[in-house]
Amino acid sequence: MAISLKINGKTVKTNSDPETPLLWMLRDELGMVGTKFGCGIAQCGACTIHVDGIPVRGCQTLLEDAEGLEVNTIEGLAKDGKLHPLQQAWIDHDVPQCGYCQAGQIMSAAALLAENPKPTDQEIDDAMAGNLCRCGTYPRIRAAIKQAAGLGG
Amino acid sequence: MTNISLNRRAFLGASGALVIAVSIPGCKPKGIGPITDKDIKSMTLNAHVEVATDGSVTIMAPHPEIGQGVKTSLPMIVAEELDVSWDKVTVKQSVIDEKYGYQFAGGSLSVPMLWQPLREAGATARAMLVSAAAAHWAVEAKDCSTEDGYVIHGDNRLGYGDLVEAAAKQAVPEKDSLKLKDPKDFNILGRRITGVDNLAIVTGQPLFGIDQKIENMHYATYSKCPAVGGTVKSANLDAVKSMPGISDAFVLEAVGKEDVLKPGVAIVGTSTFAVFKAKEALEVDWDLTSAASFNWSEFLEQGKAGALLKGNTTLFDDGNVDTAFGQAKTTVERVYAYPFLPHAPLEPQNCTAYVQGDKVEIWAPTQTPTGAVQMVVKDFGFAAENVTLNQTRCGGGFGRRLFNDFVAEAVAISKKSGLPTKVQWTRPDGMTNDYFRPGGVHGCAAALDEEGKIKGWKVNFHTLSNDGKTPGRSPNAYMGNEFPRHLVENYQVNETVTKMAIPTGWWRAPISNAFAFVYGSFLHEIAHETNQDYVQMLLGLYGDDQIIPGPQGTEIDTNRAKGVIRAVAERSNWGKSLPKGRAQGLSYYYSHSGYIGEVVELEVSADKRIKVHKVDVVADVGPIVNMSGAENQCAGSVIDGLSTMMNLRVDIQNGRIMQGNFDEYPLMRMPNTPDIDVHFIQSANPPTGLGEPALPPLAPAVCNAIFAATGERVRELPLSKSGYSFSA
């Protein structure tokens, strides 16, 4: 039985195993590889996506749980050819080192700013605590979020 | 340090190849004219530089990008000497080819090795463009100058794009004739340049090994024995093969040593999820006859108990240590220990390979692409010309991807299955199948005179290796000029090596990542015991300006060392008064040709919770190539150092690694991140790399600060073992 969901505004129907985590459905089936695999147990946040606007871990969110819901990924963050302010801030601050975690970081930050456009330093730290960066780019992630939020940085 | 330079022959070979490749119309008259052949869009001036007829420039990034920034910084060096503005430059990862020398990312060596050759590559291309313009204007090349992609002579200006066809026909200039820029004229080097892949990273485009997809690609897992050296007796292959999405499952025998292909069970299927699910259902009966049986805790206890006894091999014995200790006014003896560490890059190991007959094409996130090709040739019998390796961006390296075992797996699985296959590791696969930073124990003793001066220095070092003789692959071997050798007259290092079968390897700042903790802590203990200010004691030890000898490329200039120590003390306001429970700690260490001083300011609560407020970093690595990347490397090294020393280690029981994922290997998170200030002393020395040297001083600086704040000395890492944790 086909499962239907919306990914970055487009309706997608699939006959894949309903227990497939969205992470693997996005990557292997749709070729959307911006969402990354890091740990498989919701510890690292590299697979952070939005389901109905809520940041969730793609490795723990099964296809069957997302039936009929709106899924947004890093590939859908830029709109009408214009980067999201977070994406621009990430480039301006040269945040990435290896870059592997950054899509997940940006998706967590985007969910934060959507709900809380002017977060405090503490609120930024709290919202980002689920995303690991093995290279240690945390200071620049903080600065980039502040820039995107119009808080300096 | 190995010094591999691109020789002239490589350039000639490269430019010779291009003449054939771009098919220059043979009938075209010599000299410059409007380019009429519309097929010619760009030309390669040498292996590193291609200029298009519209003036845009493509520069090759010859070494793997693992997060250390070389995909941006190395092309910056070429662009500077070519004299084009950075916005005209597109960077491409180069092919893997001997014309680029040995291509790898390790040892913080990319910048020091390639600084001069890449400047010459840029200057060579520039000289050929200038020659072409000079010939066109019938003037002397020496009277022409360049600016931002143009050759200029008086009122004449010609863009590189208009010159490129004629330039490609110019003789390649002699290296001696090249005029490199005066650093004061640099337009690109030293600036803040954002990473060339950043747009692709923030929009989620395919870049990494794991992102590769080729036609009809299948997915595979490969399960190895939990204890290294174990082999497959039997496995429930039929049950696995019957699972949905699984096309094949088979046993592979070992190939080469443990750094090539370990024995195991491959499962091949149509999606990552299908093969991961099948891997969970896989049951293997392992033959443990030749498997590792090492227990870390036994080694640690034995090492600590015997650490001050003489080791079984004396590595260095300067002066007369026994006399120095016999005449000492005071002696200080301490024992330090540190654990095994996995690398844990965030991108789990993976590799895509397609074997077709006697040919193989590989897509690999490796730190040693040249080494991977050599391995495939040597251990899998392919002819070198039949191996194509596509270098991908690496989701972290830290030394793990210097080993190409995941490449061996992909090649072996594709060869056996006949399918284009991506082998994908899980996180536990990576945590338990690593080439670990080995743990170790150091017993340190110092003989002091009435003034607290160090007259004798003796270390007994307990380490591990796979052959029981030398610390294998020197991940923890003495180099010969570890501080304070040559500064203390009577100096002795003894080594005891225990044999074990756990694979070991280079972990970011190998050797130094452990030794800095030991020596930086011990020296601080000596300063405390003798009531000396630590900074003054360090400066006194370095004494007069001199060069401390060491293996080539590791000679230490004490003037640079003292400059860094003084600067970090000044920038951190060293010795300032702080409230109770809050203190500073300083450390200085030299590694990978970099001089780094760090001061940590932290606070320790009554229940041993640590809040690191500030870390000041001062580095002298010569001139900075990319200021943005350089600062990022230093800050990242501080965070890696702090993360590792607080909580990280793997335990090994009966040859098995006991930690499998990030819930058991808790990397530091954003809320624990301190403010970090990075400052460079840009001395006029050749530039050296920054991927590693800012990590080693962090651990001793933190331990010294904890002591200053609490009076408790930590002599074993990680700190969690002594009950410390990050403040919430």
Side-chain angles (χ1 to χ4, degrees):
Chain A
M1 193 182 69
I3 291 175
S4 170
L5 63 164
K6 249 189 186 169
I7 297 178
N8 296 334
K10 283 187 195 149
T11 301
V12 174
K13 282 193 171 67
T14 174
N15 289 309
S16 288
D17 181 344
E19 289 183 3
T20 307
L22 284 182
L23 165 67
W24 295 117
M25 187 261 188
L26 289 166
R27 292 186 58 86
D28 292 354
E29 194 173 333
L30 303 180
M32 296 167 69
V33 295
T35 306
K36 293 292 193 272
F37 167 54
C39 67
I41 59 166
Q43 283 286 312
C44 77
C47 62
T48 303
I49 52 176
H50 299 169
V51 175
D52 279 2
I54 310 291
V56 300
R57 304 297 179 235
C59 71
Q60 301 297 311
T61 310
L62 309 186
L63 197 45
E64 62 193 1
D65 299 333
E67 163 116 57
L69 302 182
E70 289 202 25
V71 174
N72 284 287
T73 72
I74 188 73
E75 288 91 345
L77 201 57
K79 295 268 187 274
D80 307 321
K82 200 171 178 306
L83 293 179
H84 187 284
L86 282 165
Q87 291 170 312
Q88 188 59 52
W90 245 249
I91 294 170
D92 293 346
H93 284 266
D94 189 21
V95 171
Q97 286 186 30
C98 86
Y100 194 76
C101 72
Q102 300 297 349
Q105 303 275 5
I106 291 170
M107 292 306 283
S108 287
L112 166 68
L113 296 190
E115 192 183 299
N116 181 359
K118 303 282 175 200
T120 64
D121 289 1
Q122 184 67 50
E123 286 166 343
I124 292 173
D125 276 8
D126 291 347
M128 301 303 294
N131 289 75
L132 289 174
C133 175
R134 174 69 180 87
C135 301
T137 62
Y138 300 127
R140 289 192 179 185
I141 294 173
R142 281 175 177 155
I145 293 172
K146 285 188 179 187
Q147 175 186 312
L151 297 166
Chain B
M1 178 167 56
T2 324
N3 194 0
I4 303 171
S5 62
L6 287 172
N7 58 27
R8 188 171 158 69
R9 205 165 142 203
F11 278 136
L12 287 172
S15 59
L18 98 94
V19 176
I20 301 156
V22 271
S23 65
I24 297 164
C27 57
K28 206 162 170 57
K30 277 192 171 183
I32 302 266
I35 291 172
T36 52
D37 189 332
K38 290 192 171 67
D39 292 337
I40 297 174
K41 293 281 199 296
S42 70
M43 302 190 94
T44 307
L45 293 176
N46 59 51
H48 296 275
V49 181
E50 187 177 302
V51 179
T53 52
D54 68 358
S56 63
V57 173
T58 301
I59 298 178
M60 301 300 159
H63 282 194
E65 176 59 66
I66 62 173
Q68 85 285 42
V70 296
K71 193 170 176 183
T72 305
S73 61
L74 296 179
M76 284 171 69
I77 300 170
V78 179
E80 182 69 69
E81 293 293 347
L82 181 62
D83 211 12
V84 287
S85 59
W86 185 249
D87 58 15
K88 285 190 183 136
V89 173
T90 301
V91 172
K92 258 198 217 165
Q93 189 76 47
S94 80
V95 296
I96 304 307
D97 189 293
E98 61 187 16
K99 71 187 173 195
Y100 294 103
Y102 193 92
Q103 291 168 279
F104 77 113
S108 295
L109 285 168
S110 289
V111 165
M113 272 176 50
L114 295 179
W115 170 253
Q116 187 68 17
L118 292 183
R119 289 185 76 186
E120 288 167 4
T124 300
R126 177 179 164 275
M128 290 162 76
L129 290 157
V130 168
S131 292
H136 177 64
W137 292 321
V139 300
E140 294 280 328
K142 68 177 171 51
D143 296 329
C144 300
S145 61
T146 57
E147 188 186 310
D148 197 11
Y150 286 87
V151 183
I152 298 163
H153 180 268
D155 291 336
N156 292 322
R157 281 168 73 88
L158 271 172
Y160 286 0
D162 296 327
L163 288 163
V164 63
E165 190 192 354
K169 295 177 197 163
Q170 298 292 318
V172 177
E174 292 293 335
K175 206 193 287 193
D176 297 346
S177 72
L178 295 174
K179 195 169 180 305
L180 300 181
K181 277 189 178 178
D182 186 321
K184 73 173 167 40
D185 298 326
F186 284 168
N187 296 315
I188 296 173
L189 295 178
R191 273 172 52 198
R192 291 172 188 280
I193 303 279
T194 200
V196 294
D197 282 341
N198 282 348
L199 178 62
I201 288 169
V202 303
T203 52
Q205 301 309 303
L207 275 174
F208 299 90
I210 199 172
D211 300 338
Q212 305 307 309
K213 194 160 195 179
I214 58 175
E215 202 182 336
N216 191 34
M217 188 174 81
H218 281 59
Y219 301 81
T221 62
Y222 191 61
S223 299
K224 290 144 290 210
C225 182
V228 177
T231 55
V232 182
K233 258 193 227 165
S234 63
N236 60 339
L237 297 179
D238 288 339
V240 167
K241 278 192 260 194
S242 71
M243 291 180 70
I246 301 304
S247 35
D248 206 353
F250 46 84
V251 173
L252 289 172
E253 304 292 331
V255 174
K257 291 186 180 165
E258 89 292 343
D259 57 350
V260 184
L261 184 72
K262 293 177 189 153
V265 180
I267 302 172
V268 183
T270 53
S271 74
T272 312
F273 180 60
V275 294
F276 276 12
K277 230 175 155 177
K279 184 181 171 75
E280 283 175 18
L282 176 70
E283 290 168 13
V284 185
D285 187 8
W286 300 103
D287 181 346
L288 298 172
T289 314
S290 55
S293 58
F294 177 73
N295 285 296
W296 163 247
S297 60
E298 277 174 25
F299 171 88
L300 180 63
E301 291 317 311
Q302 284 166 6
K304 286 200 293 195
L308 287 175
L309 302 174
K310 189 172 164 63
N312 56 12
T313 309
T314 297
L315 300 179
F316 310 106
D317 199 2
D318 304 339
N320 190 323
V321 170
D322 292 341
T323 305
F325 276 85
Q327 294 172 351
K329 165 83 172 160
T330 327
T331 57
V332 180
E333 295 186 354
R334 300 286 188 267
V335 177
Y336 302 88
Y338 45 87
F340 272 73
L341 293 173
H343 299 81
L346 199 58
E347 179 189 10
Q349 305 305 340
N350 65 85
C351 181
T352 302
Y354 191 15
V355 175
Q356 289 176 283
D358 60 357
K359 291 188 173 59
V360 60
E361 185 165 5
I362 297 161
W363 292 259
T366 172
Q367 285 182 246
T368 46
T370 303
V373 171
Q374 290 171 350
M375 176 190 75
V376 172
V377 169
K378 176 174 170 282
D379 293 298
F380 291 91
F382 288 90
E385 63 269 24
N386 287 343
V387 181
T388 305
L389 189 140
N390 304 282
Q391 174 70 47
T392 72
R393 196 178 173 91
C394 300
F398 312 103
R400 175 59 181 84
R401 298 183 213 267
L402 290 167
F403 297 91
N404 285 304
D405 48 336
F406 47 92
V407 177
E409 291 179 7
V411 171
I413 292 169
S414 177
K415 197 174 172 182
K416 170 98 176 170
S417 68
L419 295 165
T421 307
K422 179 197 285 171
V423 66
Q424 178 63 58
W425 291 26
T426 63
R427 176 57 50 189
D429 284 338
M431 288 289 286
T432 56
N433 290 278
D434 204 335
Y435 300 83
F436 300 89
R437 192 287 297 270
V441 181
H442 292 244
C444 301
L448 311 170
D449 68 9
E450 294 77 9
E451 293 161 2
K453 282 192 77 170
I454 302 172
K455 307 304 281 185
W457 180 276
K458 186 174 168 179
V459 174
N460 191 31
F461 172 40
H462 287 247
T463 186
L464 297 143
S465 84
N466 298 150
D467 66 2
K469 292 174 194 156
T470 52
R473 302 192 198 94
S474 66
N476 259 359
Y478 273 81
M479 301 276 285
N481 65 342
E482 274 75 20
F483 189 73
R485 189 166 187 220
H486 301 301
L487 297 171
V488 173
E489 199 184 329
N490 307 296
Y491 174 96
Q492 187 182 74
V493 176
N494 306 302
E495 181 181 76
T496 304
V497 183
T498 295
K499 189 174 175 177
M500 54 108 219
I502 305 298
T504 59
W506 304 281
W507 196 97
R508 192 180 203 171
I511 311 169
S512 310
N513 60 39
F515 288 17
F517 155 66
V518 175
Y519 294 149
S521 299
F522 186 52
L523 282 167
H524 189 254
E525 295 214 54
I526 294 169
H528 175 76
E529 291 293 327
T530 53
N531 291 313
Q532 299 182 71
D533 175 79
Y534 191 42
V535 169
Q536 291 310 314
M537 191 185 88
L538 288 177
L539 293 173
L541 253 176
Y542 275 116
D544 299 331
D545 291 352
Q546 58 170 308
I547 304 294
I548 303 173
Q552 194 195 350
T554 70
E555 302 88 350
I556 299 171
D557 179 343
T558 60
N559 182 40
R560 294 176 76 183
K562 288 182 292 182
V564 162
I565 294 166
R566 286 195 195 99
V568 79
E570 189 182 329
R571 289 185 68 83
S572 64
N573 198 5
W574 173 250
K576 68 183 174 186
S577 75
L578 289 164
K580 194 173 172 341
R582 187 160 169 162
Q584 289 177 307
L586 177 144
S587 190
Y588 156 82
Y589 207 72
Y590 167 92
S591 70
H592 298 278
S593 308
Y595 299 76
I596 317 280
E598 291 174 2
V599 170
V600 169
E601 184 178 329
L602 55 70
E603 198 170 350
V604 186
S605 70
D607 59 350
K608 291 193 153 188
R609 286 180 174 270
I610 293 176
K611 168 82 182 166
V612 180
H613 291 281
K614 178 84 190 286
V615 180
D616 280 283
V617 181
V618 173
D620 179 351
V621 289
I624 296 303
V625 175
N626 182 354
M627 183 56 77
S628 177
E631 287 178 352
N632 218 357
Q633 287 306 305
C634 288
S637 296
V638 162
I639 290 165
D640 193 1
L642 186 56
S643 174
T644 305
M645 74 175 302
M646 179 61 85
N647 283 317
L648 303 184
R649 48 118 210 180
V650 290
D651 188 20
I652 304 171
Q653 294 177 19
N654 201 21
R656 289 164 161 78
I657 310 304
M658 304 308 291
Q659 283 70 29
N661 210 322
F662 291 134
D663 52 342
E664 298 166 318
Y665 192 78
L667 292 161
M668 197 176 94
R669 294 172 184 274
M670 188 186 284
N672 303 123
T673 305
D675 287 337
I676 301 167
D677 180 81
V678 179
H679 174 73
F680 295 105
I681 297 175
Q682 298 206 48
S683 64
N685 292 281
T688 55
L690 266 177
E692 298 169 280
L695 182 137
L698 193 277
V702 167
C703 289
N704 295 345
I706 291 172
F707 178 77
T710 66
E712 183 178 8
R713 173 57 62 176
V714 181
R715 299 194 184 93
E716 185 177 340
L717 297 180
L719 296 175
S720 56
K721 224 179 155 180
S722 305
Y724 290 96
S725 59
F726 286 119
S727 67

